[in-house]
């Protein structure tokens, strides 16, 4: 759906983005991660043509973006930024209606859409419709920003550190809501963040950038299992990497069939994460758990020894003994 081929961006002489190639499939959630100044925002702004690229090509559905009508492009792409960019003298409703008004939708259609979006983003209509940005908390303003970006039902959503300025609790909540929203709406999302945990939580495609270049890209699990270099590894959290990886897979993907031995006393549903399984082993002082289905019927076993062997063979290290 979105394709960047050997794209670069030069500001004067400095290369902000240096020869990056990237494909974002339709309906997937791509996170650009990297430390400040590595070119994430510049990459995003080139995709919606806020700034022109210097080299290479950017395609949307196979078409070079410079050939697309800017109005149509604006309708297809929703854009959310950290400072929300809400107009301070406009009500919540008017802010959300920005793009539909530009597109000259009929008034009733706009009103209905605003109401629908406020419900979708958890903003009670009567309470918020007439409020102004200064009357909103950071989290509420960010919801309005997301509602506005979704207003004309774009198929692409570009988000630039949308939750970066929020307190940790509000951030967690909005991350979860965004994940739920995405499971329902299947937008093609490019999400910029410097927070690897946020990226791991949300993305199905991770792109790590450094000094204008892409250092590594792939699924979160692939990067966690095989970070390309110490930089990627440190972004992924070094020592915590094992637990983060375990947080992304399910117990049932690691279980073995029930053996002849006495079943383990502790039981864990197969849909729980491996991280929860490891936590249960520590809590219950055991190396084995019985895995159960939704009706609490045993379907397999989770064994710590086997998990360690599995991770050894993944890394290609020889097994001891
Ligand atoms: N409009 C601009 N003019 C000149 N330099 C810029 C401009 N925008 C960004 N840069 C430079 O490009 C580099 C990448 O910036 P940016 O994409 O904003 O990084 P990030 O979003 O990853 O923090 C930085 O060195 C920044 O100073
Ligand atoms: Mg930025």
């Amino acid at each position: 759906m979105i394709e960047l081929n050997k794209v670069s961006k030069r500001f004067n002489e400095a290369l902000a983005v240096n020869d990056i190639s990237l494909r974002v499939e339709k309906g997937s959630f791509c996170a650009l991660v990297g430390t400040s100044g590595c070119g994430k925002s510049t990459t995003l702004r080139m995709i919606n043509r806020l700034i022109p690229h210097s080299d290479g090509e950017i395609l949307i559905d196979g078409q070079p973006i410079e050939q697309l009508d800017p109005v149509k492009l604006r309708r297809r792409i929703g854009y959310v930024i950290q400072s929300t960019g809400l107009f301070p003298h406009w009500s919540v409703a008017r802010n959300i209606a920005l793009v539909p008004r530009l597109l000259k939708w009929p008034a009733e259609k706009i009103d209905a859409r605003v109401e629908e979006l406020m419900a979708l983003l958890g903003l009670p209509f009567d309470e918020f419709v007439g409020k102004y940005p200064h009357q909103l908390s950071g989290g509420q303003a960010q919801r309005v920003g997301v509602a506005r970006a979704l207003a004309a039902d774009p198929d692409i959503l570009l988000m630039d550190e949308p939750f970066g300025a929020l307190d940790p609790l509000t951030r967690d909540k909005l991350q979860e809501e965004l994940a739920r929203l995405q499971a329902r709406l299947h937008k093609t999302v490019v999400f910029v963040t410097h927070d690897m945990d946020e990226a791991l939580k949300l993305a199905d495609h991770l792109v790590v950038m450094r000094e204008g270049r892409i250092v590594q890209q792939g699924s979160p699990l692939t990067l966690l299992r095989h970070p390309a270099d110490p930089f990627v590894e440190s972004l992924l959290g070094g020592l915590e990497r094992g637990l983060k990886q375990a947080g992304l897979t399910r117990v049932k993907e690691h279980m073995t069939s029930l053996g002849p031995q006495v079943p383990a006393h502790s039981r864990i549903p197969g849909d729980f994460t491996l991280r929860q399984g490891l936590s249960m082993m520590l809590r219950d002082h055991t190396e084995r758990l019985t895995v159960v289905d939704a009706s609490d019927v045993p379907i397999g076993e989770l064994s710590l020894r086997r998990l360690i062997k599995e991770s050894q063979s993944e890394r290609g290290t020889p097994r001891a003994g």
Side-chain angles (χ1 to χ4, degrees), residues 92 96 117-126 128 136 140 143-144 147:
V92 164
I96 295 175
L117 284 162
M118 289 181 66
L120 192 66
L121 272 297
L123 295 160
F125 187 79
D126 293 334
F128 286 100
L136 304 174
Q140 289 159 355
R143 285 164 204 259
V144 175

Side-chain angles (χ1 to χ4, degrees), residues 11 16 35-42 45:
F11 290 112
T35 44
S36 175
C38 69
K40 307 180 295 294
S41 297
T42 302
R45 291 193 194 113

Side-chain angles (χ1 to χ4, degrees), residues 40-41 160-161 192:
K40 307 180 295 294
S41 297
D160 194 345
E161 311 230 16
V192 161

Side-chain angles (χ1 to χ4, degrees), residues 18-298:
N18 186 356
D19 193 27
I20 66 170
S21 295
L22 167 66
R23 274 175 71 95
V24 187
E25 304 297 339
K26 190 171 165 54
S28 78
F29 195 119
C30 169
L32 304 181
V33 198
T35 44
S36 175
C38 69
K40 307 180 295 294
S41 297
T42 302
T43 302
L44 217 57
R45 291 193 194 113
M46 290 191 289
I47 296 173
N48 67 2
R49 277 182 74 180
L50 277 179
I51 51 173
H53 50 289
S54 314
D55 274 305
E57 58 174 7
I58 302 179
L59 309 172
I60 291 185
D61 274 344
Q63 255 190 311
I65 52 167
E66 54 278 15
Q67 287 173 16
L68 296 168
D69 171 9
V71 176
K72 283 196 187 136
L73 194 70
R74 200 183 304 151
R75 182 169 59 179
R76 292 192 61 182
I77 301 182
Y79 185 43
V80 186
I81 54 176
Q82 181 175 319
S83 55
T84 74
L86 297 179
F87 293 101
H89 303 301
W90 286 10
S91 67
V92 164
R94 184 145 185 222
N95 266 293
I96 295 175
L98 174 72
V99 179
R101 281 166 68 119
L102 287 173
L103 297 169
K104 300 196 169 32
W105 286 15
E108 321 80 75
K109 189 176 166 192
I110 294 180
D111 291 348
R113 182 64 179 153
V114 167
E115 203 169 338
E116 181 189 355
L117 284 162
M118 289 181 66
L120 192 66
L121 272 297
L123 295 160
F125 187 79
D126 293 334
E127 189 182 342
F128 286 100
V129 68
K131 281 202 168 152
Y132 286 83
H134 74 272
Q135 298 170 305
L136 304 174
S137 71
Q140 289 159 355
Q142 213 46 262
R143 285 164 204 259
V144 175
V146 175
R148 182 181 61 178
L150 292 172
D153 199 22
D155 40 11
I156 295 171
L157 205 52
L158 304 180
M159 308 183 86
D160 194 345
E161 311 230 16
F163 310 141
L166 304 175
D167 65 86
L169 279 179
T170 310
R171 195 186 310 150
D172 273 358
K173 188 144 192 286
L174 281 177
Q175 286 165 354
E176 276 163 31
E177 285 178 20
L178 179 62
R180 268 204 297 276
L181 212 60
Q182 171 63 1
R184 199 166 137 188
L185 302 178
H186 306 292
K187 301 290 178 191
T188 304
V189 186
V190 186
F191 185 102
V192 161
T193 180
H194 62 268
D195 177 351
M196 182 58 90
D197 288 323
E198 179 169 75
L200 287 173
K201 214 187 259 186
L202 292 168
D204 41 48
H205 189 72
L206 265 184
V207 178
V208 178
M209 292 183 68
R210 184 184 199 184
E211 292 169 11
R213 290 179 168 279
I214 292 178
V215 193
Q216 189 177 12
Q217 58 179 316
S219 73
L221 266 181
T222 307
L223 266 69
L224 282 164
R225 284 185 181 141
H226 310 286
D229 64 16
F231 173 72
V232 177
E233 180 158 14
S234 74
L235 277 186
L236 286 166
L239 261 186
E240 297 286 323
R241 189 153 65 83
L243 278 179
K244 288 180 184 176
Q245 187 176 324
L248 290 179
T249 61
R250 312 257 150 222
V251 161
K252 62 183 173 203
E253 293 165 46
H254 297 274
M255 68 184 182
T256 49
S257 48
L258 287 166
Q261 64 228 100
V262 184
H265 186 67
S266 296
R267 294 171 157 232
I268 187 162
D271 282 331
F272 275 36
T273 66
L274 183 56
R275 183 180 180 128
Q276 289 170 311
L278 291 167
S279 179
M280 189 183 275
M281 285 177 183
L282 285 172
R283 186 195 67 186
D284 295 356
H285 322 292
T286 177
E287 292 184 7
R288 295 193 299 133
L289 301 174
T290 297
V291 183
V292 295
D293 67 10
S295 328
D296 206 34
V297 175

